[in-house]
Amino acid sequence: MARKATTSRRLVMTFVAYTFALILFFPILWMVITSFKSEADAIALPPKFLFFHWTLANYIDVQARNNYWRFAFNSVALSFGSTVLGLIVGIPAAYAFAFAPTKNTKQILLWMLSTKMMPAVGVLVPIYLLLLQFHLLDTFTGLILILFLSNLPIMIWMLYTYFKEIPHEILEASRMDGASRWKEIVYVLSPMAVPGIASTVLLNIILSWNETFWSLNVTNIHAAPLTAFIASYSSPEGLFWAKLSAASTLAVAPIVLLGWFSQRQLVRGLTFGAVK
Amino acid sequence: MARPQSELLRARTRTAWLFLAPMLIVLAMVAGWPLLRTIWFSFTDANLGKMSQAKFIGFENYYASFGGILQDPDWWRSVWNTVWFSVVSVSLETVLGMIVALLLNVDFRGRGFVRAAVLVPWAIPTIVSARMWGWMLHDQFGIINDMLERAHLISGPVAWTADPHLSMWSVVFVDVWKTTSFMALLILAGLQLLPSDCYEAARVDGISPIKVFFRVTLPLIWPALVVAVVFRSLDALRVFDLIYVLTSSAKETMTMSVYARQQLVDFQQVGYGSAAATLLFLIIAAFTALTLIATRSRASEG
């Protein structure tokens, strides 16, 4: 009797969960569908769901208007560049927090996290002037530095929560065998922390990929990523919904695919630091 | 015996500082220096066109005979909008996130698939989702109006983002769409760490699921929930891109960040805009301090 009740309850729950997921996913689906419509079909009333003339014309137009591949390459270069820099600075810092704690460790961690609370608009002018002074406006170096700096606290925090779980004894054993601190990090700690580092890298790539505020304010042509590519379609008053949808689909496709296939690591990475 | 130990301790401290140095230096560069400069600008009449001629003018950007920021009704309106947005959106996201987390905690076929699908709204750039919603909520060609009309819930087209009475609710709605799944995942992680024997005991005793939720589940995940809510609130207080893309600089939805950007970039008033940014810092810092005090006194009680 009891078993039957749980089965039917489970069925209801499953149905509710799928309905919810569909509602949540619908806007993305609508965007993808619209990207294959002609502009006339896109604004047809009542809206057409599936029965219209499917076309690739928008994608061809978008590519002709702005070279998609250049923006995509920039996005990849910026997210990977900032992630690599973040690991170089972040792993030693997380190591120090986890394995050589002093009485100030907690305060430093708190201060580090508190820098994440700064509204970007508040430091826009000083940072802009700094980049101007060092001739870094609209360069990869400039934007990579900003992305790296703005995500560093989150990276260190995540790495720290993973490193904390690794037993000290293993590291001490390698030190007894004469390994230097640096070798200890590279050859002993990092291989053991691969899942944690992978989650951190994933989250950092997504955050860098989606960053819009700085990308718009400190780049122009040369180093502009895909978020700037979308922003260039800035007149939604004109009836270019199908083209905007095609451009948007192109901009989010790589990151959605990446997130989808690495969902397990990503979820673990996102939730680890919050719970522990 | 005491000496080698203290030497070890000293060596450890030295390593710690050495390894932390790069992080501390870069963070001081990005968080310390620009912030100090913004505060300094807020006491000057700096203008983006002629930065070198900036003069120190004391508190005149804040309060002056010809009108400082504290006398500007638009500023107070944006403060009120920010607080309203943060309270309403974070509350909705927490309650809905809780429900979704409880759903996803049940084992069913295709749970991984559903989990990935609900994560997508969070994983795409806000500029894309805000544009998509701007179009779906369009008064003439938007699919939302079409669906609601067919369901006879509205009788004519509604200007969701342009109507002053509705635009703030539209912004909250899109934020809830974007962030609820993220909240749900944070809560879900807390749920999955709970020991199952409490539930077994409760089920054997025949206690209703709702009672179990309020008496067992909620108290156990409370710490994880508080962390999630604080982090979300800090994000909400800074909200910028969603509102800027969806409703531009309309007064009805203008938040503190949007106000500061308008002064800094559109009006090029670096001094005045920096004063707005400084006040925004102060408000967020005050909120953080209050939260820390509240959680600390709670911890010492328990």
Side-chain angles (χ1 to χ4, degrees):
Chain A
M1 286 290 276
R3 189 142 168 247
K4 200 177 160 198
T6 45
T7 328
S8 67
R9 217 178 89 197
R10 185 169 290 183
L11 263 174
V12 173
M13 293 281 251
T14 310
F15 177 73
V16 174
Y18 271 96
T19 314
F20 174 79
L22 184 71
I23 292 173
L24 215 56
F25 196 70
F26 178 76
I28 320 256
L29 193 67
W30 190 238
M31 171 181 89
V32 176
I33 292 175
T34 307
S35 72
F36 291 107
K37 289 177 178 177
S38 65
E39 293 292 353
D41 276 338
I43 57 165
L45 287 173
K48 298 178 176 176
F49 278 88
L50 292 171
F51 304 105
F52 56 87
H53 177 66
W54 291 66
T55 169
L56 282 173
N58 300 310
Y59 287 93
I60 296 163
D61 286 354
V62 165
Q63 172 64 21
R65 181 177 182 267
N66 267 324
N67 187 359
Y68 167 75
W69 296 108
R70 207 193 60 217
F71 289 93
F73 169 80
N74 287 357
S75 274
V76 171
L78 292 166
S79 3
F80 278 83
S82 67
T83 304
V84 169
L85 263 183
L87 287 180
I88 293 173
V89 174
I91 289 181
Y95 171 90
F97 283 134
F99 298 114
T102 64
K103 57 181 189 298
N104 295 322
T105 299
K106 218 163 176 190
Q107 273 87 340
I108 300 177
L109 266 171
L110 269 179
W111 174 75
M112 183 190 81
L113 275 181
S114 75
T115 62
K116 259 319 269 184
M117 294 160 196
M118 282 204 319
V121 66
V123 288
L124 172 61
V125 173
I127 296 227
Y128 186 90
L129 293 175
L130 217 58
L131 292 179
L132 186 70
Q133 204 173 342
F134 289 97
H135 304 288
L136 289 174
L137 282 175
D138 199 21
T139 61
F140 282 98
T141 320
L143 193 51
I144 283 179
L145 278 175
I146 290 180
L147 293 173
F148 149 66
L149 291 167
S150 60
N151 292 332
L152 187 63
I154 297 284
M155 279 189 96
I156 295 181
W157 179 261
M158 277 180 72
L159 290 168
Y160 163 70
T161 57
Y162 283 105
F163 287 178
K164 256 193 338 194
E165 304 299 307
I166 291 170
H168 285 227
E169 291 77 15
I170 298 178
L171 296 185
E172 268 154 32
S174 75
R175 208 174 310 152
M176 293 291 177
D177 293 343
S180 70
R181 288 271 186 182
W182 191 244
K183 276 192 175 155
E184 191 182 310
I185 293 183
V186 175
Y187 295 109
V188 185
L189 177 66
S190 299
M192 286 180 70
V194 161
I197 294 176
S199 301
T200 311
V201 165
L202 266 173
L203 181 68
N204 200 57
I205 288 176
I206 293 184
L207 289 177
S208 309
W209 192 278
N210 292 351
E211 207 291 320
T212 310
F213 184 81
W214 292 109
S215 308
L216 285 183
N217 282 306
V218 305
T219 67
N220 185 20
I221 303 161
H222 181 67
L226 282 170
T227 41
F229 169 76
I230 292 302
S232 75
Y233 286 79
S234 61
S235 67
E237 313 316 327
L239 302 174
F240 298 114
W241 296 111
K243 281 184 199 64
L244 176 64
S245 298
S248 302
T249 307
L250 284 173
V252 303
I255 207 71
V256 168
L257 288 179
L258 178 76
W260 192 283
F261 288 115
S262 55
Q263 181 250 129
R264 204 169 284 275
Q265 284 81 6
L266 189 62
V267 169
R268 202 177 43 190
L270 285 177
T271 49
F272 215 68
V275 182
K276 293 274 160 148
Chain B
M1 278 306 270
R3 246 193 96 213
Q5 210 175 6
S6 73
E7 200 132 287
L8 195 70
L9 205 67
R10 219 175 306 141
R12 181 193 261 194
T13 314
R14 206 165 43 227
T15 322
W17 284 114
L18 192 68
F19 281 32
L20 288 178
M23 183 275 277
L24 292 173
I25 292 168
V26 293
L27 278 187
M29 256 167 55
V30 76
W33 169 242
L35 176 57
L36 289 177
R37 252 190 123 179
T38 294
I39 296 173
W40 162 250
F41 283 147
S42 79
F43 294 111
T44 68
D45 61 354
N47 187 293
L48 208 54
K50 36 185 198 311
M51 287 301 287
S52 52
Q53 295 159 27
K55 283 195 314 286
F56 181 80
I57 55 165
F59 281 92
E60 280 185 22
N61 283 323
Y62 295 93
Y63 195 90
S65 50
F66 50 84
I69 187 167
L70 293 173
Q71 292 137 293
D72 182 2
D74 286 350
W75 163 254
W76 289 110
R77 177 152 201 179
S78 71
V79 174
W80 167 246
N81 283 343
T82 312
V83 173
W84 194 90
F85 169 83
S86 306
V87 171
V88 176
S89 65
V90 175
S91 313
L92 285 172
E93 284 153 19
T94 310
V95 174
L96 288 173
M98 191 79 210
I99 296 170
V100 177
L102 289 170
L103 270 176
L104 288 178
N105 200 28
V106 180
D107 197 22
F108 60 84
R109 193 182 285 270
R111 187 166 68 153
F113 179 79
V114 171
R115 214 161 52 170
V118 300
L119 201 57
V120 172
W122 172 81
I124 65 173
T126 306
I127 187 169
V128 170
S129 40
R131 282 267 162 84
M132 278 333 294
W133 276 106
W135 176 46
M136 289 176 55
L137 294 168
H138 195 275
D139 51 351
Q140 287 176 60
F141 305 109
I143 187 166
I144 302 289
N145 272 338
D146 180 70
M147 282 176 163
L148 291 176
E149 267 179 67
R150 276 194 230 189
H152 299 290
L153 288 172
I154 53 172
S155 50
V158 176
W160 299 104
T161 54
D163 186 332
H165 301 290
L166 293 172
S167 52
M168 200 56 171
W169 283 106
S170 304
V171 169
V172 167
F173 173 79
V174 177
D175 193 67
V176 167
W177 172 78
K178 184 176 169 62
T179 320
T180 296
S181 49
F182 182 62
M183 276 298 254
L185 286 175
L186 289 182
I187 297 170
L188 181 64
L191 285 177
Q192 287 179 338
L193 290 178
L194 298 188
S196 57
D197 39 357
C198 302
Y199 293 97
E200 298 286 322
R203 204 168 57 208
V204 170
D205 291 347
I207 298 169
S208 79
I210 292 169
K211 218 168 183 179
V212 171
F213 172 76
F214 281 107
R215 294 283 168 79
V216 183
T217 314
L218 200 56
L220 279 175
I221 63 159
W222 191 252
L225 198 62
V226 169
V227 171
V229 167
V230 170
F231 269 74
R232 265 307 299 152
S233 308
L234 288 170
D235 260 357
L237 287 171
R238 302 180 301 174
V239 64
F240 173 78
D241 42 6
L242 172 66
I243 289 180
Y244 188 67
V245 177
L246 214 52
T247 58
S248 189
S249 298
K251 284 209 173 76
E252 291 75 26
T253 52
M254 184 181 278
T255 58
M256 291 187 277
S257 283
V258 177
Y259 181 95
R261 197 215 72 98
Q262 191 182 37
Q263 296 294 337
L264 285 169
V265 181
D266 293 349
F267 303 157
Q268 310 221 333
Q269 308 264 22
V270 174
Y272 194 87
S274 297
T278 306
L279 289 175
L280 174 51
F281 283 131
L282 288 178
I283 289 170
I284 290 182
F287 173 80
T288 314
L290 282 177
T291 320
L292 278 179
I293 292 167
T295 46
R296 205 163 279 173
S297 62
R298 205 168 230 287
S300 60
E301 270 168 34

